[in-house]
Coordinates of all heavy atoms in Angstrom, one line a residue:
E119 N 92.6 49.2 106.8 CA 92.8 50.2 105.7 C 92.4 49.6 104.3 O 91.7 50.2 103.5 CB 94.3 50.6 105.6 CG 94.6 51.6 104.5 CD 96.0 52.1 104.4 OE1 96.7 52.1 105.5 OE2 96.4 52.4 103.3
D153 N 84.8 65.1 101.4 CA 84.6 66.2 100.5 C 83.6 65.7 99.4 O 83.9 64.9 98.6 CB 86.0 66.5 99.9 CG 86.0 67.7 99.0 OD1 85.0 67.9 98.2 OD2 87.0 68.4 99.0
I181 N 78.4 57.7 101.0 CA 77.5 56.6 100.6 C 76.1 56.9 100.8 O 75.2 56.4 100.1 CB 78.0 55.3 101.4 CG1 79.4 54.9 101.0 CG2 77.0 54.2 101.3 CD1 80.0 53.8 101.9

Side-chain angles (χ1 to χ4, degrees):
E119 182 179 326
D153 187 319
I181 292 171

